[in-house]
Amino acid sequence: MSATVHDVDRQTAITSLRSKDLLGISDLIPEEITLVLDTADAMKEIASRPIKKVPALRGKTVVNLFFEPSTRTRTSFEIAEKRLSADTLNIAIATSSVVKGETLADTALNLEAMRPDMIVLRHSSSGACHLLSRICRSAIINAGDGMHEHPTQALLDAYTIRERKQRLRGLKVAIVGDLLHSRVLRSNILLLTKMGADVWVCGPPTLMPADIRRFGVTATSSVDAAVKDADVIMLLRIQLERMEGAFFPSLREYFNVFGMTEARLTLARPDVMIMHPGPMNRGVEIASEVADGPYSVILDQVANGVAVRMAVLYLLAGGAEHEEAA
Amino acid sequence: MKRLLKGGRVVDPANRIDGVRDVLIDGDRIARVGADLPADGATVIEIPGGLVVCPGFIDMHVHLREPGQEHKETVATGTAAAVAGGFTAVACMPNTTPVNDDANVTTYILDKAREANLARVYPIGAVSRGSQGELLADIGDLRKAGCVAITDDGHPTKTAMLLRRALEYAGMFGMPVIEHCEDPSLKGDAVAHEGYYAASLGLRGMPGAAEALGVERGILLSELTGSAFHVAHMSARASLRALRKGKDAGVRVTCEVAPHHFTLTDEALAIPVPYDTNTKMNPPLREAADRDALLDGIADGSVDAIATDHAPHHYDEKQVEYDRAPFGIVGLETAVPLSLDRLVHAGRIRLSRLVELLSVNPARILNVAGGTLSEGAPADITILAPDLQVRIDARRLRSRSKNTPFDGWELRGGVAATFVGGRPLFVNAEAVLAMTADVAGAL
Amino acid sequence: MPDSKSAVVMDADRIARTLTRIAHEIVERNKGVEHVALVGIRTRGVYIARRLARTLKQITGDEVPTGALDITLYRDDLMRNPVGPQPVIRRTEIPFSIDNKTILLVDDVLYTGRTTRAALDALIDFGRPKGIQLIVLVDRGHRELPIKADYVGKNLPTNPEESVQVRLQETDGNDEVVLQQEATV
């Protein structure tokens, strides 16, 4: 059942984000996360109108600066920006121009001359957005930086969970996969723990970040323990390169020890939700039967992603209304 | 020319002196140290109250970057930074372009030092040709040209076999082998210390064990060969543990610690400025337990020397993503304030111990003159102002590069003056005036 | 400390009678409610719209479709920092087509006219109505745009230093319209 319209004139604790940028979930407080999710609720409705556009960001320029190729995330941001009537500029930097010697700082300074209002940055180095934020006056949105964070992905995952389960607090969420290298999982862990979920992370010790318990999660290498009574299971794609880095012996072995099979799934709650940002490696992190089964929901990820990104763009562009009479 | 430094507190642990003495300098040598010496034609310099007269400090780990990387630093600018930092001598690392694996490069460096005529420069030569780790460099030639030690610093000596040979060969000349201790496979392409902060920031980490493995290898080979082995920039508590065991077993092993390792921890990567590339160096800033262990080692004598690993990098080179930034920070002009504030004033060690760490021991390890104010010793003198309030200002550093994480730090303790061969090459007017005002006020 | 004097200009009884009167005016002017729909603005406009729908049903026996419109994203004054506590933007719910209908826009207070302007822009994005009429409970004057209400509950001349508070049972617990004098705004 989808969320109902709130008729009460809800006065929330905050109505705007504290920072000029969204660099990571690590900088957000729970109230800000709630603000983004609630705003996304209102934004989602726009997609069902005949004219899927509102003038909120009219006249603002948003640059999508992608140093790593990405169709899904970039498209999602582009749709979100256009729905808010912003002018978008897509810049895809091929690796070769980086090799040629133009640094991120150089690119940023050239961009500044255009005075963009916001820059959406995806980069292969952790902390690239922090560097950009120190150089540019524009609002910076992190669309994925190295192994650090991918905040809008975590926000849209949270939105999807909340839509289905009506809450985040107290849910048992099991995350299985490459926790060491995954920025999506890092952002998800931060967000879910901030919102009071009971987060379990599971993977081989070779793929666990140091001091994982300091992140407020329960770490285990037993999938059964992680999945027991889980409300949500998040699976992440295992990359082939990790096998070559001697993180685990083989994909077959990984599947045997950590793969999500139907048998393992019975340990979870009957109404468990399985999330996988895709693309899936069938037979590696997830069994085919599970991937196609009833628990694995074909989620409205695309629509949710656009709604969440519209919310973030709107809130960072300073779209909050000020006290004004009718 | 004779100069008489009159009435200062002299701290000369090699001669067991800590008290008010006069120091008579004749030409470039110390003529006499004693109480109430007659002026006897010397220019009298009254040492204001509160200042401390010590044998000149020697920084045994400095990257002067010349030849080949003059945009970062030159021998001239580096030695100017040295005397401003209170150092009368520096030992410079061979990872220049070309590498100092050849007498010609050594001679070039020494010529530049002579031209600059500031701090003394003791070149350290490479262990292997090009520091590639295949063939030994012409160590005898390097020795003759003026090198005082050998190292392949920047990375560990490539194989245990090569390190063994280097120890045996260099031992013949009484030269220590200095080692950047590290297991390359454990280090991988890491850019930070493996721990909570690297994990939070999504940075690849290297564990303390990677360094400790290199230390243990070196100690065993030093024992095998009987030659002197020196651990450069030690940072991990596991390394210190291995070092203590080695010393207890009588192995000829020594070590140095850099001020950033006994002051900062990996928390600096996140706070106050996340991903500040001035927190990136190798070995990296480690966790609190490692820093605390180093402080204990400094106090209990396990650590022999403080050396800065002064590694200048141009602003543009550091203004990049953390992954891509080069390792290293400058240190010549921040070492003394950090040491005085965090070691002496913090009550961990006395001034005499600090002089051992910065002067006596470096001279002994490198087998160079210095470390004492004995009669006939070179008149290399560092005058400290232990109560001077110092504010580190990156823009005013004399080094050509300004890559320091200590910009804006308020510290207690600084340098009042630096004499090399009897010549006052640096005088901190502020320190002298401040102290004089204090003394005047007390009267 | 603001020295505020307040006066109740409409009580519950008066509000009820006013809304009934407006309902009759709607029926008369549109000759019934066959192609009419109500869209309330903001929170309070929505409740007023619903009350009107109920009264219209009593009068005519017909259901009048009713929707809710959030105009935040259409405001001409979207700014960085809000001043004072603000409501969060909420969903717009117009679960019917507005094409070829006469839309009755409902708001609690008409002041500068900017909210109405924003509402008109929003509505146009939903379709092409046959016409739009504006219903307000209170018109306090001081228009900044050429906007006029078709149905007015009460004309209330005010000064810019004054503020008009509409309270409704559904949101505030009681029905009343209060005129407040603020020494400092």
Side-chain angles (χ1 to χ4, degrees):
Chain A
M1 195 155 92
S2 62
T4 53
V5 173
H6 298 272
D7 281 341
V8 176
D9 198 23
R10 254 185 306 127
Q11 303 250 312
T12 55
I14 55 166
T15 55
S16 58
L17 300 178
R18 295 168 307 155
S19 166
K20 89 173 205 320
D21 310 304
L22 177 62
L23 301 179
I25 303 290
S26 53
D27 305 315
L28 297 177
I29 54 176
E31 287 82 358
E32 288 176 308
I33 294 170
T34 304
L35 176 63
V36 173
L37 299 181
D38 289 347
T39 307
D41 244 348
M43 295 297 185
K44 192 164 177 187
E45 172 271 320
I46 294 168
S48 54
R49 300 185 187 182
I51 295 185
K52 298 173 184 35
K53 216 189 232 296
V54 291
L57 257 58
R58 199 167 59 92
K60 303 257 188 204
T61 305
V62 182
V63 176
N64 294 323
L65 185 58
F66 276 58
F67 283 79
E68 276 182 341
S70 153
T71 319
R72 264 178 309 144
T73 306
R74 215 212 62 221
T75 314
S76 181
F77 268 106
E78 202 182 330
I79 295 175
E81 289 148 17
K82 290 185 149 96
R83 291 222 170 127
L84 292 170
S85 301
D87 294 325
T88 65
L89 184 58
N90 290 313
I91 303 181
I93 309 267
T95 334
S96 61
S97 70
V98 164
V99 168
K100 264 192 228 149
E102 183 167 288
T103 61
L104 175 58
D106 289 336
T107 310
L109 288 168
N110 287 331
L111 267 186
E112 263 290 82
M114 287 191 259
R115 302 295 302 273
D117 296 281
M118 313 179 77
I119 301 176
V120 176
L121 176 69
R122 168 170 281 198
H123 197 281
S124 56
S125 284
S126 302
C129 296
H130 284 80
L131 177 61
L132 199 68
S133 156
R134 288 196 274 273
I135 297 173
C136 292
R137 277 168 297 190
S138 328
I140 311 291
I141 298 180
N142 183 358
D145 66 328
M147 302 191 319
H148 178 228
E149 286 219 46
H150 191 354
T152 57
Q153 179 71 42
L155 285 163
L156 92 86
D157 286 342
Y159 183 85
T160 306
I161 296 172
R162 195 177 86 153
E163 200 180 35
R164 199 161 266 276
K165 301 278 182 184
Q166 304 301 300
R167 65 192 165 109
L168 294 170
R169 180 169 298 281
L171 292 179
K172 180 174 176 184
V173 181
I175 307 185
V176 185
D178 182 353
L179 308 157
L180 183 58
H181 300 97
S182 168
R183 57 191 174 212
V184 171
L185 289 180
R186 207 176 311 273
S187 290
N188 266 308
I189 287 173
L190 288 168
L191 191 155
L192 292 166
T193 50
K194 276 185 206 241
M195 301 306 278
D198 177 22
V199 180
W200 287 59
V201 298
C202 177
T206 50
L207 291 176
M208 284 276 186
D211 271 351
I212 181 72
R213 279 166 193 80
R214 238 171 115 174
F215 289 84
V217 303
T218 309
T220 173
S221 35
S222 158
V223 180
D224 292 359
V227 158
K228 185 169 187 331
D229 296 329
D231 294 284
V232 181
I233 300 174
M234 285 185 168
L235 301 173
L236 204 73
R237 177 185 159 77
I238 291 297
Q239 292 163 287
L240 203 60
E241 304 88 81
R242 304 303 166 215
M243 192 174 85
E244 287 152 17
F247 288 98
F248 53 84
S250 68
L251 296 179
R252 209 188 99 240
E253 165 107 347
Y254 183 87
F255 180 71
N256 286 340
V257 182
F258 296 100
M260 196 52 53
T261 59
E262 280 193 310
R264 289 208 163 108
L265 216 46
T266 57
L267 295 166
R269 290 176 54 97
D271 59 350
V272 68
M273 226 174 125
I274 299 189
M275 300 176 70
H276 191 310
M280 296 186 256
N281 279 329
R282 288 155 185 268
V284 179
E285 65 264 0
I286 187 167
S288 258
E289 316 82 70
V290 174
D292 301 327
Y295 307 102
S296 171
V297 188
I298 308 298
L299 301 165
D300 198 7
Q301 295 281 70
V302 175
N304 290 347
V306 172
V308 163
R309 287 169 176 129
M310 285 173 75
V312 168
L313 287 159
Y314 167 76
L315 289 167
L316 285 179
E321 66 179 61
H322 85 307
E323 225 267 321
E324 225 252 53
Chain B
M1 165 161 196
K2 288 198 208 170
R3 286 189 169 97
L4 182 65
L5 305 179
K6 194 158 187 59
R9 174 182 167 197
V10 172
V11 175
D12 182 6
N15 290 313
R16 290 205 193 77
I17 297 176
D18 183 346
V20 176
R21 301 280 192 285
D22 297 342
V23 178
L24 180 65
I25 302 169
D26 189 351
D28 63 353
R29 305 258 140 201
I30 308 271
R32 248 189 98 188
V33 175
D36 297 312
L37 297 180
D40 206 16
T43 311
V44 176
I45 300 173
E46 296 278 350
I47 304 296
L51 300 188
V52 178
V53 179
C54 319
F57 291 171
I58 300 170
D59 189 345
M60 57 181 294
H61 193 139
V62 172
H63 294 269
L64 290 179
R65 304 297 191 206
E66 197 173 7
Q69 299 155 32
E70 292 83 357
H71 60 292
K72 303 181 204 247
E73 191 87 280
T74 62
V75 173
T77 58
T79 50
V83 297
F87 291 97
T88 57
V90 300
C92 63
M93 288 292 164
N95 58 338
T96 44
T97 312
V99 168
N100 184 9
D101 63 357
D102 177 288
N104 288 316
V105 181
T106 309
T107 306
Y108 180 86
I109 294 170
L110 286 170
D111 283 346
K112 289 290 179 186
R114 230 182 322 272
E115 240 174 72
N117 205 13
L118 295 166
R120 295 181 202 276
V121 174
Y122 298 116
I124 297 174
V127 163
S128 59
R129 302 221 186 133
S131 280
Q132 294 298 300
E134 307 288 338
L135 300 168
L136 283 178
D138 288 342
I139 296 172
D141 254 8
L142 287 170
R143 171 58 157 183
K144 239 168 83 177
C147 286
V148 299
I150 52 169
T151 184
D152 271 347
D153 185 49
H155 50 78
T157 304
K158 196 158 179 197
T159 61
M161 174 57 86
L162 189 68
L163 179 57
R164 177 211 177 135
R165 297 284 175 242
L167 281 162
E168 286 168 332
Y169 200 85
M172 192 167 63
F173 301 105
M175 289 166 88
V177 175
I178 298 177
E179 176 86 338
H180 169 121
C181 295
E182 185 177 275
D183 179 292
S185 69
L186 269 190
K187 186 227 170 206
D189 52 6
V191 299
H193 169 70
E194 185 181 284
Y196 173 71
Y197 287 100
S200 288
L201 296 174
L203 296 170
R204 290 181 212 274
M206 55 184 118
E211 180 185 277
L213 269 174
V215 174
E216 298 205 356
R217 176 179 88 160
I219 289 174
L220 284 167
L221 293 175
S222 169
E223 188 181 40
L224 181 65
T225 59
S227 296
F229 176 77
H230 178 81
V231 177
H233 47 49
M234 194 175 70
S235 68
R237 59 193 189 272
S239 302
L240 185 59
R241 210 170 52 222
L243 185 95
R244 282 194 179 112
K245 264 175 65 182
K247 284 190 170 185
D248 286 344
V251 177
R252 290 180 66 194
V253 58
T254 52
C255 74
E256 72 198 27
V257 171
H260 47 272
H261 286 122
F262 65 69
T263 314
L264 297 169
T265 64
D266 55 354
E267 189 190 54
L269 273 65
I271 299 165
V273 179
Y275 300 100
D276 179 0
T277 53
N278 287 328
T279 62
K280 182 176 177 182
M281 70 283 288
N282 191 17
L285 296 175
R286 301 208 188 260
E287 52 202 62
D290 292 303
R291 180 206 45 200
D292 295 341
L294 294 176
L295 287 167
D296 287 343
I298 286 171
D300 74 15
S302 311
V303 172
D304 302 280
I306 291 174
T308 64
D309 194 4
H310 175 87
H313 290 292
H314 192 277
Y315 177 79
D316 287 345
E317 294 169 308
K318 282 285 207 178
Q319 176 83 323
V320 293
E321 306 86 295
Y322 205 86
D323 285 343
R324 288 177 68 187
F327 291 105
I329 57 169
V330 291
L332 281 169
E333 295 167 86
T334 48
V336 166
L338 287 168
S339 300
L340 283 170
D341 190 291
R342 296 299 158 109
L343 298 176
V344 177
H345 291 306
R348 295 182 184 276
I349 62 172
R350 290 180 313 184
L351 266 172
S352 54
R353 171 77 181 134
L354 187 66
V355 174
E356 281 174 13
L357 288 160
L358 282 166
S359 186
V360 180
N361 293 346
R364 179 172 51 83
I365 294 167
L366 294 175
N367 277 311
V368 298
T372 80
L373 293 174
S374 312
E375 260 170 62
D380 291 350
I381 299 169
T382 301
I383 303 185
L384 299 174
D387 293 307
L388 181 68
Q389 274 303 120
V390 169
R391 187 170 188 280
I392 309 287
D393 183 351
R395 288 161 310 165
R396 296 180 61 198
L397 293 177
R398 281 161 182 77
S399 167
R400 184 163 272 187
S401 297
K402 318 293 182 196
N403 50 319
T404 176
F406 300 111
D407 191 24
W409 280 46
E410 305 268 0
L411 297 164
R412 192 171 145 220
V415 177
T418 310
F419 286 71
V420 177
R423 294 174 301 139
L425 294 178
F426 174 76
V427 178
N428 183 343
E430 198 196 323
V432 173
L433 285 172
M435 293 304 123
T436 314
D438 266 5
V439 169
L443 292 173
Chain C
M1 271 175 295
D3 176 34
S4 63
K5 290 191 281 217
S6 65
V8 176
V9 293
M10 289 177 88
D11 62 13
D13 193 48
R14 181 77 185 277
I15 290 173
R17 283 186 282 124
T18 301
L19 291 180
T20 306
R21 189 250 305 159
I22 290 177
H24 283 281
E25 283 177 15
I26 292 170
V27 174
E28 199 185 304
R29 185 145 150 192
N30 295 289
K31 302 183 177 27
V33 294
E34 208 184 320
H35 297 290
V36 161
L38 287 155
V39 173
I41 299 176
R42 273 209 191 162
T43 345
R44 292 187 180 80
V46 175
Y47 298 111
I48 296 172
R50 289 192 189 146
R51 291 193 199 184
L52 284 170
R54 273 199 298 277
T55 311
L56 287 169
K57 172 139 190 194
Q58 279 164 12
I59 299 172
T60 67
D62 291 331
E63 293 282 356
V64 178
T66 307
L69 181 64
D70 184 284
I71 54 101
T72 316
L73 297 169
Y74 288 83
R75 291 191 71 98
D76 61 5
D77 59 349
L78 291 182
M79 252 179 47
R80 178 163 280 271
N81 291 307
V83 175
Q86 297 296 323
V88 175
I89 61 172
R90 292 165 307 283
R91 286 176 94 104
T92 289
E93 297 232 328
I94 301 184
F96 49 85
S97 166
I98 66 170
D99 289 347
N100 301 315
K101 286 201 168 59
T102 299
I103 301 295
L104 304 174
L105 258 187
V106 185
D107 204 357
D108 53 349
V109 178
L110 176 57
Y111 185 18
T112 61
R114 293 183 188 273
T115 301
T116 309
R117 197 272 328 152
L120 291 173
D121 270 358
L123 272 184
I124 300 300
D125 279 354
F126 276 86
R128 193 177 187 282
K130 191 165 91 168
I132 301 177
Q133 296 168 6
L134 178 63
I135 303 171
V136 298
L137 186 61
V138 175
D139 178 346
R140 63 171 290 196
H142 302 289
R143 216 75 77 233
E144 289 172 7
L145 298 174
I147 301 272
K148 188 175 81 87
D150 298 285
Y151 310 84
V152 179
K154 179 175 176 61
N155 277 299
L156 185 63
T158 59
N159 295 322
E161 299 82 58
E162 292 168 323
S163 95
V164 176
Q165 308 285 335
V166 170
R167 297 191 185 126
L168 298 178
Q169 183 79 28
E170 296 91 323
T171 53
D172 313 283
N174 67 319
D175 285 353
E176 67 182 1
V177 178
V178 172
L179 177 64
Q180 216 150 355
Q181 219 104 270
E182 245 111 337
T184 46
V185 169

